Amino acid sequence: MRLVVVGAARGWHATRLAAEASRRGHGVTVVEWSLLGAAIDPAGRPAVERFLPAAIDAADVLAVRSMPAGRLEEVILRMDLLGRIAARGTPVITAPGALETAIDKYLSLARLAAAGIPVPRTIVAQDPDAIRAAWESLGRDAVVKPLFGSCGRGIERVATAASLERLAAAAEGGTATYLQAFVPHDGWDVRVLLGGPRAFAMRRRARGDWRTNLALGATAEPIDPPAAWLDLARRAASLLGVEVAGVDLLPGPDGMVVLEVNAVPGWQGLEGATGADVTGAVIERLALVAAGGI
C-alpha cells in the first residue's frame, strides 16, 4: 500500500500512522495541509489535473488526520482538493462529503435525529432574542458549543441569567450559536472508536469539571460496552458515512444519546487507557480499502 497521511507531520497520530505503516512494509508519506495543491494543464485533451505533492498522485489511499482552522477560502480549497482526489478514484478516508457533514455539528446531528438516532434537544440561533428564547425552551440550562470544534474547546454551560446575557451580547450582529439541553449524567461518557468492523471503547470520567474531554483533564478507563451501545455507535457512523469514526455516547435519564460523530478522531488516550493497538487496526482498514475491499 502507498499511503498518504494529510495532517501535522509532527503530530502524534501522523507520526504513529507513518511508523506503523512503514513497519508493516507499506510506503507512507505525510503531507502538511499547507503543502496540498493541484495543477491543471489545459494543453491535453482532456486537460490534465495533477495533485501536489507528487506522492498524492501515486497514492493508493489518502488518510485525513486533523483539520486545522483557516480562512473560509482555505477550508473550501482543502475540501475541494479532497473531493477532486476522491473523484479521480483515490480512496479518501474519511470521504470528503462525510467529512464535511461530520465537521458541522448541527448538520450531522440533524441527519442523525431524522434517522431516529437519540440525540440531545438542540437549537441553533443567530439573533440575541432568539438565543434567549432557545435557552428558555431548553429549561434554562444549556451547553453551548462551536459549530466546528473538538477536544472540548469553546464549550460552555449556560445555567444562569448572567451567563445567558454574556452569550446574547456576544451574538450582537449575528453569530451562529449552537445550544443543547444539558443532559444530567453521572460524570462520565463513552467514546467508541470504529475502524471498519473493529471497535474500541473507553469510559471518560470528568475530574473537577462537568466536561469529560481528556484534553480538559478527564481520566479514561477501558470498557466492554453492551452490544446495544456498539450498535448505536455503528448506526450513527454509518448514517454519516464516516469510515474511521469516534462516536461520543452519553447516558442520560432516558437512555444513551449520541453527542457527536468525529470524522477525524483521536485515539492517543484510547490506546493509553486500553492498551489496544488502535493504530494497527486503522492501518489494516486503510490497507483493505486501498486493495479495493469494503
Side-chain angles (χ1 to χ4, degrees):
M1 170 179 66
R2 292 167 297 183
L3 168 66
V4 167
V5 179
V6 180
R10 297 183 181 180
W12 185 90
H13 291 87
T15 300
R16 282 278 288 138
L17 285 169
E20 183 61 20
S22 296
R23 190 186 70 80
R24 296 177 180 224
H26 301 299
V28 57
T29 303
V30 179
V31 175
E32 294 273 358
W33 280 103
S34 60
L35 299 180
L36 191 63
I40 299 172
D41 182 358
R45 294 292 184 271
V48 176
E49 181 180 21
R50 294 184 296 105
F51 298 98
L52 307 171
I56 293 176
D57 271 336
D60 297 313
V61 62
L62 188 147
V64 176
R65 277 307 320 167
S66 79
M67 180 57 71
R71 297 188 300 271
L72 179 60
E73 59 266 31
E74 292 171 339
V75 174
I76 291 175
L77 174 62
R78 292 167 187 161
M79 297 310 301
D80 286 346
L81 291 173
L82 292 180
R84 294 296 299 164
I85 292 167
R88 70 96 180 263
T90 301
V92 177
I93 305 299
T94 287
L99 187 61
E100 287 181 336
T101 299
I103 287 173
D104 185 328
K105 286 185 174 64
Y106 171 73
L107 179 58
S108 58
L109 205 76
R111 290 187 177 178
L112 293 177
I117 297 292
V119 300
R121 290 183 60 209
T122 302
I123 299 175
V124 287
Q126 300 181 72
D127 175 77
D129 287 339
I131 291 170
R132 294 185 182 97
W135 184 71
E136 291 282 349
S137 71
L138 293 173
R140 298 188 173 189
D141 193 358
V143 176
V144 178
K145 304 177 181 180
L147 275 176
F148 311 108
S150 62
C151 299
R153 290 185 290 268
I155 296 179
E156 177 186 358
R157 184 175 177 183
V158 180
T160 66
S163 58
L164 170 66
E165 287 310 311
R166 286 194 296 272
L167 178 67
E172 288 289 350
T175 299
T177 303
Y178 178 93
L179 305 97
Q180 284 185 331
F182 178 77
V183 178
H185 58 87
D186 294 329
W188 60 270
D189 71 358
V190 173
R191 160 61 68 92
V192 177
L193 192 136
L194 303 169
R198 303 283 297 278
F200 307 88
M202 64 179 172
R203 189 199 315 265
R204 302 181 296 193
R205 291 189 181 277
R207 186 170 59 182
D209 198 323
W210 57 272
R211 294 168 292 186
T212 59
N213 303 86
L214 298 184
L216 298 177
T219 59
E221 60 192 25
I223 185 175
D224 185 14
W229 295 4
L230 290 178
D231 178 65
L232 179 61
R234 291 191 189 283
R235 286 170 55 207
S238 177
L239 280 165
L240 299 184
V242 180
E243 183 76 25
V244 176
V247 184
D248 293 337
L249 307 176
L250 184 69
D254 300 319
M256 194 65 82
V257 298
V258 175
L259 291 179
E260 65 179 271
V261 177
N262 192 323
V264 190
W267 60 81
Q268 183 175 4
L270 182 58
E271 284 198 342
T274 65
D277 183 14
V278 181
T279 304
V282 172
I283 292 293
E284 290 171 6
R285 184 61 186 169
L286 292 170
L288 180 63
V289 171
I294 58 173

